Amino acid sequence: MHKKLFIPGPTEVRDEILQAMATPMIGHRSSAYADLHKSVEEKLKKMLNTEGRVMLFTSSSTGVMEGAVRNCVGKKVLHTLNGEFSRRWCEISKANGLPLDTIEVAPGKAITPDIVDAKLAEGGFDTLCLTYNETSTGILSPVPEVAKMVRAKYPEIIILVDAVSCMAGVPIHNDEWGLDVILAGVQKCFALPPGFAVATVSARAMERAKTVPHRGYYFDFIENEKYAVKYNTPATPGISFLYALDKQLDDMFAEGLDNRYARHLAMAEHCRAWAKQHFALYGDEAYASPTVTHITNTTGFDFGAMNKELGKRGAQVSDGYGPFKGKTFRIGHMGDLTLADVTWLTAQIDDILGM
Ligand SMILES: Cc1ncc(COP(=O)(O)O)c(C=O)c1O
């Protein structure tokens, strides 16, 4: 039996989207491909509120995280750590030998403008990495406020944002916020299968890239831009993903972006209320994520046994990530799931646990 995915990615994919992926193949240097690429890029620009470039990459998000730091870090990058995925980005910079420093807050806390300001004030940085939605802890940091502070006080800093688990689930105003790169894979709030990622790349980021001698090959922004002007990619793209993304973006606009974001919030509010009734929310509720709810297992129930029984009923939720395994659990409410879906889910868990 298929288990409906209430995990923080990959998320449940509708049949219509799977069918769009089965569209007959075209050559990636054909005009039909360029039309498709242009259509997807224009729709993403509308969703992300940008007049700049949106690049398309056939890889998971991690690839673009690596590409972003390789293209943009010249002097030194500041990594802001509040969980496992922000830590991963820092590991990527380390693996590439990039000069870096970190600030860290306890898991469950957000990255706020004051702590970023205090560190940037030490000087020497030219790039900042922010994780908008820390999927391991269920925390949405106030990226618009951090970016506003950075743009006002440190105009030379390139701002890179991992929005992997919230893009298409929360509003993003790329140009107004002054972001340079905001990236995401399509397997979370976009509700496509995994394997494809998108990223805005500002003119400022492109200028920085021109000063960086070794940007790598596959994710080289300058090389990608040479092709992007013709609505192409340097290497053969995952064309099936573009068909699915084009259809999904149409469906998102048909739903209405504001309605989509409100739906994510409504699912989050339901899960939070349920969690507080039976368990406890993990972390700072003021920054609780609209796309993943992170719950402390205060009653010590057997998570594995519960999830197994849930599986028999056709659903799946997630254990705590990394150090939280066995201590917390997470409900992903992303993409095309509805309030009715999460209401059904929590009723099943109530029934299984006899609550
Ligand atoms: C916040 C965040 N960043 C990065 C990643 C890595 O993404 P991917 O597995 O698509 O490379 C994830 C995956 O869960 C994530 O949640």
Side-chain angles (χ1 to χ4, degrees):
M1 191 214 282
H2 172 65
K3 296 178 196 164
K4 200 166 202 168
L5 298 177
F6 293 89
I7 62 176
T11 44
E12 197 62 21
V13 183
R14 289 180 295 131
D15 284 346
E16 293 89 323
I17 299 302
L18 293 173
Q19 272 157 24
M21 289 198 74
T23 307
M25 205 34 57
I26 52 173
H28 66 295
R29 301 298 180 219
S30 66
S31 60
Y33 174 79
D35 290 347
L36 177 62
H37 187 122
K38 182 176 183 193
S39 171
V40 169
E41 184 181 354
E42 291 302 324
K43 288 168 193 170
L44 286 167
K45 283 165 73 165
K46 191 170 156 195
M47 191 189 92
L48 299 171
N49 294 294
T50 182
E51 297 295 320
R53 173 70 67 207
V54 179
M55 288 187 184
L56 309 178
F57 296 101
T58 305
S59 82
S60 86
S61 321
T62 305
V64 190
M65 290 161 78
E66 179 155 24
V69 288
R70 288 208 62 159
N71 277 274
C72 295
V73 181
K75 284 192 283 185
K76 187 159 66 163
V77 54
L78 175 59
H79 280 282
T80 54
L81 311 182
N82 68 336
E84 296 303 302
F85 289 103
S86 44
R87 192 175 303 284
R88 178 188 293 193
W89 211 352
C90 184
E91 292 304 316
I92 291 171
S93 288
K94 277 188 199 160
N96 281 285
L98 297 172
L100 62 91
D101 204 345
T102 59
I103 45 173
E104 181 160 11
V105 297
K109 298 253 177 254
I111 301 295
T112 49
D114 51 332
I115 58 166
V116 177
D117 188 9
K119 189 70 186 177
L120 289 179
E122 290 177 9
F125 296 100
D126 65 359
T127 310
L128 169 68
C129 286
L130 297 168
T131 302
Y132 200 170
N133 193 60
E134 191 26 280
T135 323
S136 67
T137 58
I139 292 292
L140 188 87
S141 283
V143 161
E145 286 77 14
V146 176
K148 192 174 171 194
M149 179 282 293
V150 173
R151 286 281 77 97
K153 295 184 76 170
Y154 309 94
E156 73 288 0
I157 297 273
I158 294 286
I159 307 175
L160 309 178
V161 181
D162 165 348
V164 174
S165 58
C166 63
M167 185 186 288
V170 301
I172 291 174
H173 294 269
N174 183 82
D175 295 1
E176 190 190 319
W177 298 350
L179 307 181
D180 293 298
V181 173
I182 186 161
L183 64 96
V186 296
Q187 79 276 24
K188 300 202 191 248
C189 300
F190 284 97
L192 260 65
F196 201 77
V198 305
T200 65
V201 181
S202 71
R204 197 168 34 224
M206 289 300 295
E207 285 309 307
R208 171 66 61 74
K210 285 179 196 161
T211 70
V212 174
H214 297 294
R215 300 179 297 271
Y217 191 89
Y218 190 63
F219 296 98
D220 179 356
F221 286 170
I222 306 234
E223 199 59 21
N224 272 273
E225 177 64 14
K226 279 188 205 156
Y227 286 82
V229 292
K230 298 176 285 183
Y231 300 110
N232 262 223
T233 51
T236 318
I239 297 171
S240 308
F241 285 104
L242 275 97
Y243 280 122
L245 196 48
D246 198 44
K247 156 103 183 110
Q248 181 65 311
L249 285 159
D250 282 343
D251 291 353
M252 286 184 197
F253 292 123
E255 179 183 10
L257 292 181
D258 288 343
N259 294 335
R260 186 177 185 82
Y261 303 143
R263 177 165 56 73
H264 279 79
L265 212 51
M267 292 192 288
E269 280 164 2
H270 171 82
C271 291
R272 285 176 211 157
W274 174 81
K276 286 197 288 189
Q277 190 187 344
H278 300 295
F279 307 100
L281 270 185
Y282 184 91
D284 189 346
E285 192 176 347
Y287 298 105
S289 165
T291 61
V292 51
T293 297
H294 190 200
I295 303 162
T296 305
N297 181 356
T298 47
T299 64
F301 74 87
D302 181 342
F303 176 81
M306 188 283 293
N307 215 16
K308 199 166 166 199
E309 176 56 31
L310 199 54
K312 291 184 198 153
R313 301 176 184 209
Q316 191 185 354
V317 293
S318 265
D319 205 343
Y321 190 94
F324 299 109
K325 202 170 160 51
K327 298 180 189 137
T328 65
F329 63 103
R330 295 171 300 156
I331 300 177
H333 28 81
M334 300 178 182
D336 295 330
L337 292 174
T338 64
L339 183 58
D341 288 324
V342 289
T343 307
W344 172 84
L345 175 81
T346 52
Q348 295 305 312
I349 301 177
D350 283 347
D351 188 48
I352 294 167
L353 297 180
M355 296 188 306

